[in-house]
Each structure stands twice: as structure tokens, then as C-alpha cells.
Amino acid sequence: MLSFHIYPSSMHEMSPMADKISSLPNTLIYHVLSFLPTKEAAATSVLSKKWRPMWLSVSTLHFDDQTYSENEETYFRFLELVYTVMLLRDVSQPIQMFNLECRSSLCDPCAINTWVTTAIQRKVQHLSLSLPCSTIHLPCCILTCTTLAVLKLKSLTVNNVHSVDFPLLKTLHLIRVCFVKNEYLFQILSGCPLLEDLLLSSLEMQISTYSKLFGPLKIKLPKLIRADVHDSGMVNIPAATFHNVQFLRSQVVPIIFFHHSSHTNFLYLTYMELFFDFNQ
């Protein structure tokens, strides 16, 4: 991880030639700061007058509550940090990446919804949410964020899906996500026409009457290159969905998978790993 070390020095020692980093183009400095957690990027504002506003234009935001989880007082400082950053940023600058990792049970669903909404309004392209438990509901605005190229969700609940519109989404990773209705997952997948990378891990599915009557729903993912579906026994995706993939790792129900795969040609497949589930 990149880090800055600030050492006290005299005016004589701090010659113009000594501060070579500040002489770099702003775009390059923004790029360097984008690799830092947002808290550390903000700390660079003490370096000089030039650096004071620099971190407010960084397009990558990364917040982690790990060091704030001791009690409510310390966690309030984490909430204050995120709100301050979101309010002070230059509204004309887009947010390319918003990464939020919350491990504490003190995390506030309303605050998360506000932060995510703000990131979407700033045309976020890469959104990653890792939450402490699946009782927090997915903000509905995420499902119609037309600027998203990467979406990674961990430990939350999808309790309602009105519409899905991901015209640019290429990467979708869902880990320990709970779907109140089975078809919500298929609605989301059906709204990703350009999807290339799919990871579904340890999903919690609720089997609906529709799924029991009609079996797996048909999904078209013509651009899919990599698919990894495991530890999600209730997810029965037809083999035809994966016909263009190069990499396939999947937990499958044999009678369903092979029935559909008998009419499927895997033209580009270079790696396949199947785990058979005989309990369904």
C-alpha cells in the first residue's frame, strides 16, 4: 500500500528542488492518490497549499470502518469522515470508483443508501459494497445505474426489483447475497447485455412458485467470458447461458444441466470445473 511519511524539516532543507512530487502534473498526482484509502489521501492536504484541495478531486473513494469499530463514539467519526468527504468533493468531478467496506454492526443502512445515491449521481463506474450482514437491503437506485461497468456486492439482501438497466456492466460479483425471490437474480442477469465476468458465491435463494413450475429461466449473456457459480445450490442457470465462456466453474444439478447442455456448443471453453448437486 502506498503511504506518505511527513518529517519536520527546516526552511533551508525544504528547497524547491526537494519537493519533486508537487512538481508533477495534477493528473499524475490524482492517479497516485487514487491508490490510497480516502482517509490517507485526505491527510496529504497538510503537505502544502497546492496539496490542500488535491484529494477532493480524486476519482476513487475507498472507505473501511475497520479501525472505527471499537464503540459508538469512534464509529461516529467514521460516519463523519464519509459524509465530510462526500459533501466537500467537487461536484463537477465524477466518482469513478466507490468502495465501501463495513464490518461493524453499527453501520447505518440509511447512511449507506445516501452515500451510494450520491456516488450514482456522480456517474460512478465501479461500485463495491461489503457489509457485515445480509439484513441490509440493496439500494434500489443501484439497479438502474447506467454508468456502472463493475458491481461487487457482499452480504446484503435484494428485497425488491422493479427494473434493471445495466447497459455498460461487464463485471458482476455477488457474494453472500440473499434474494427474497428467486427470479430477482434472473431479472438482474437479464439486464446485463454486455456482462463478461460473473461470480455468484454462497447466495441465499428463496424458491418461488414460478421457479418450481417452470424451472430455470432463460438468460442471454452473449458476451460472457468467465462464469464462477458455487455454493449456491438453488441457482439453476441453463447451460446455454454459458455457451461463449472461456472459463466455467459451476455447481450444477445434473439432470437440469445436462438436459440443456446436450444442445449447447461450448466453442471457446478452455477450462471447466463442475460440482454436482444431487440433492435437488
Side-chain angles (χ1 to χ4, degrees):
M1 178 182 291
L2 292 175
S3 60
F4 286 90
H5 300 278
I6 304 172
Y7 301 97
S9 57
S10 67
M11 292 298 293
H12 175 73
E13 293 172 324
M14 285 297 293
S15 66
M17 290 299 294
D19 188 10
K20 294 182 179 180
I21 295 181
S22 294
S23 65
L24 295 173
N26 285 358
T27 53
L28 187 54
I29 295 177
Y30 295 150
H31 182 68
V32 172
L33 292 179
S34 71
F35 291 97
L36 295 174
T38 300
K39 179 184 177 181
E40 294 185 18
T44 63
S45 62
V46 303
L47 294 176
S48 69
K49 289 183 179 180
K50 177 179 178 177
W51 283 85
R52 193 170 300 163
M54 297 288 282
W55 69 278
L56 294 173
S57 296
V58 176
S59 60
T60 298
L61 300 180
H62 180 191
F63 300 102
D64 189 333
D65 71 356
Q66 185 174 15
T67 59
Y68 296 88
S69 302
E70 183 177 346
N71 52 53
E72 291 187 9
E73 182 179 351
T74 56
Y75 202 79
F76 178 79
R77 292 204 294 270
F78 171 72
L79 298 176
E80 189 176 43
L81 167 68
V82 183
Y83 273 116
T84 300
V85 171
M86 302 300 279
L87 289 172
L88 290 180
R89 284 191 85 259
D90 184 349
V91 295
S92 66
Q93 295 292 330
I95 297 176
Q96 292 183 354
M97 178 184 294
F98 183 82
N99 186 350
L100 177 66
E101 296 185 51
C102 293
R103 299 171 172 83
S104 172
S105 59
L106 296 173
C107 71
D108 183 1
C110 292
I112 293 172
N113 190 74
T114 299
W115 302 335
V116 169
T117 300
T118 302
I120 289 175
Q121 291 172 345
R122 307 285 174 83
K123 304 184 185 303
V124 65
Q125 298 173 22
H126 182 143
L127 178 62
S128 178
L129 299 179
S130 179
L131 306 179
C133 61
S134 60
T135 56
I136 298 177
H137 293 165
L138 176 74
C140 292
C141 58
I142 291 179
L143 298 178
T144 54
C145 180
T146 57
T147 58
L148 276 178
V150 176
L151 177 60
K152 298 181 179 182
L153 304 175
K154 184 176 180 180
S155 298
L156 49 73
T157 293
V158 179
N159 68 322
N160 207 344
V161 175
H162 294 293
S163 61
V164 180
D165 188 13
F166 289 136
L168 302 179
L169 195 71
K170 292 187 177 182
T171 298
L172 178 63
H173 291 181
L174 305 178
I175 301 175
R176 292 201 297 273
V177 174
C178 175
F179 289 88
V180 173
K181 292 186 179 180
N182 198 2
E183 52 264 35
Y184 286 167
L185 171 62
F186 298 104
Q187 284 180 252
I188 292 174
L189 294 179
S190 297
C192 309
L194 298 184
L195 193 64
E196 297 178 358
D197 180 3
L198 174 64
L199 169 63
L200 305 177
S201 175
S202 303
L203 302 187
E204 183 179 339
M205 310 294 292
Q206 301 293 329
I207 296 299
S208 65
T209 303
Y210 186 93
S211 299
K212 290 179 179 178
L213 290 175
F214 298 100
L217 306 181
K218 293 182 179 180
I219 308 168
K220 293 183 179 180
L221 299 173
K223 303 293 185 180
L224 196 63
I225 297 173
R226 179 184 176 88
D228 188 346
V229 183
H230 62 273
D231 296 329
S232 303
M234 296 300 182
V235 180
N236 298 324
I237 301 177
T241 306
F242 306 129
H243 74 281
N244 278 335
V245 300
Q246 298 174 17
F247 177 100
L248 175 60
R249 178 189 288 126
S250 182
Q251 179 177 342
V252 300
V253 178
I255 190 171
I256 294 176
F257 183 84
F258 289 113
H259 171 72
H260 291 278
S261 63
S262 61
H263 304 290
T264 303
N265 294 320
F266 297 94
L267 300 177
Y268 309 105
L269 192 64
T270 59
Y271 180 92
M272 175 186 281
E273 186 175 350
L274 301 180
F275 305 92
F276 297 115
D277 185 350
F278 294 98
N279 297 321
Q280 295 190 58

